Amino acid sequence: MTNPLRNSIDHRLPRIAGPCGLVLFGVTGDLARKKVMPAIYDLANRGFLPPGFSLVGFARRDWADEDFAQIVHDAVREHSRTPFREETWKQLSEGIRFVTGDLDDPAAYSELSRVVADLDLTRGTGGNHAFYLSIPPGLFPVVLEHLKSSGLAQDTPDSWRRVVVEKPFGHDLKSARELNDLVGTVFETGSVFRIDHYLGKETVQNIMAVRFANAMFEPLWNGNYVDNVQITMAEDIGIGGRAGYYDGIGAARDVIQNHLLQLLALTAMEEPLNFNAAEVRAEKEKVLSAVRLPKDLSLHTTRGQYSQGWQGGIPVPGYLQEEGIDPNSKTETFAAMRVDIDNRRWAGVPFYLRTGKRLGRRVTEVAVIFKRAPHLPFSVDSVQELGNNALVFRIQPDEGITVRFGSKVPDTSQIEVRDVTMDFQYGETFVESSPEAYERLILDVLIGDPPLFPRQVEVELGWKILDPVLEYWATQGQSEQYVSGGWGPHSQYDMLARDGRTWRRP
């Protein structure tokens, strides 16, 4: 609800959710414990949740409300971003409830309906509830069908019901469409929030801010000046205990189809008319519609699996030695590919996407690599250490922007030009630390603000891009092995060398 007394240019008052609650499925998982529960507390601690906010957990555990509250308390104390305050916790804990039951048990949903109705009376949630599916995608259908049959998904003219779906949204185009059809029979289109947590990161949103708020970048943001764009998401960890989820999914489905293609869209999109959901999504969809795969996928895509090695001075097993992994698995833990964008702005500019586990370090960045100057009035010896100019958006963990350009080396008898960098760091420039992505996204769900959530068209476009690559890989043999702690298989360097380019070292 809009505050009629608030001036639109006054940013002192933040957006605060109205009366509402959240029902969390999958409360025993890492995502709920490390991200969702701490984000809810941090929102409450920052004053963004209503006093009567309620959190309902749903799982097969035989817990009382107090047991679940203790689980939330422990997760908050260990993983919350903001300081722990007893007064915040007391207010939040008064609205914590737990429902015991199997996901396919109709009686459990009847009990959930009773609890939700009771919260509407005792906590003033007003019939407004979001259902967060922090569960494996294969369990979505059974939960959605029971939410529908129990009436929990039914909103009224005076209240809303929303659903939050975690990625991956299907495992290919066909399954994504089937999932969307199912969700569409239970919730209205505007009530479905597909979470891609990367879109909630401040540094991802800053790509648009830097591009469209500054006059100096737009004239250079095209194929006349940009040589290539490299988008990298590297992790220094293995699959951990996620064998059941990861094997058969792989790096490309897990990261490229959503995170990296979304970063590509934000980097390459045209300026929207404004920042409302329809305009931003329309421009992203135009870019994704224009993405073209290379004709020969054997030359411009590659994949790999991490093998035994050393990570941080500790010996680590290879993917095929991880507990729960089939020793003959072909699932890739590293994926890289080239795509092109068939429009006037980006014609001739390759976009290189790569992601992998057990790499040299944890880093996500978008590097816009510019063409070399058309003429250098210096001797060859003077520019031996001069590379391409670059503008790098550092998404995580060292959030900020790096600009690389050439500068004269001082105190030399002749002109020598080499690369130097200028850095902007969020932590040094702004007093307040960046909120976690889940804070922003959960608040947007409760408010009903959708610009940062991809809609089904974007999901389907992502699968249309990736499906041919996955189908090609399925016809090939085993993934190439690469040593843990390095930067991936050698074939990734061959892929860029064929284009006369090299990967930037993050």
Side-chain angles (χ1 to χ4, degrees), residues 171 238-239 242-255 302-307 318-322 324-336 355-357 469-470 473-482 489:
H171 60 269
I239 60 168
R242 301 173 68 216
Y245 162 79
Y246 197 87
D247 200 37
I249 297 293
R253 286 187 176 96
D254 191 39
V255 176
T302 186
R303 62 192 176 123
Q305 283 180 345
Y306 62 82
S307 61
Y319 179 72
L320 298 180
Q321 289 79 50
E322 296 277 13
I325 297 297
D326 181 347
N328 299 311
S329 174
K330 294 182 179 180
T331 300
E332 80 284 351
T333 61
F334 178 97
T355 182
K357 291 185 176 295
V469 177
L470 297 174
W473 286 348
T475 66
Q476 304 303 298
Q478 183 59 276
S479 298
E480 180 183 350
Q481 299 294 296
Y482 63 92

Side-chain angles (χ1 to χ4, degrees), residues 179-212:
L179 176 59
N180 183 63
D181 291 343
L182 175 60
V183 175
T185 64
V186 182
F187 290 91
E188 296 291 332
T189 300
S191 298
V192 180
F193 290 76
R194 301 169 184 84
I195 277 199
D196 182 342
H197 72 271
Y198 260 55
L199 297 183
K201 291 182 178 291
E202 290 288 335
T203 42
V204 171
Q205 298 165 51
N206 195 38
I207 295 175
M208 288 186 286
V210 169
R211 284 194 57 194
F212 303 131

Side-chain angles (χ1 to χ4, degrees), residues 15 162 193 277 440 443-453:
R15 303 178 309 158
R162 296 169 185 150
F193 290 76
R440 170 68 188 271
L443 180 60
D444 284 351
V445 169
L446 300 178
I447 291 175
D449 191 16
L452 298 180
F453 296 84

Side-chain angles (χ1 to χ4, degrees), residues 37 45 184 216 287 303 323 336 341 370 411 418 488 492:
M37 295 175 189
N45 212 13
M216 71 173 93
V287 171
R303 62 192 176 123
E323 184 177 351
I341 299 177
F370 292 92
D411 299 328
R418 69 172 62 163
Q492 66 168 316

Side-chain angles (χ1 to χ4, degrees), residues 22 99 120 137 294 415 459:
L22 187 143
V99 174
D120 290 339
I415 290 183
V459 173

Side-chain angles (χ1 to χ4, degrees), residues 25 57 88 156 234 301 311 340 430 497-498:
F25 292 86
T88 299
T156 70
T301 69
Q311 197 91 45
D340 292 86
F430 299 108
R498 295 185 187 101

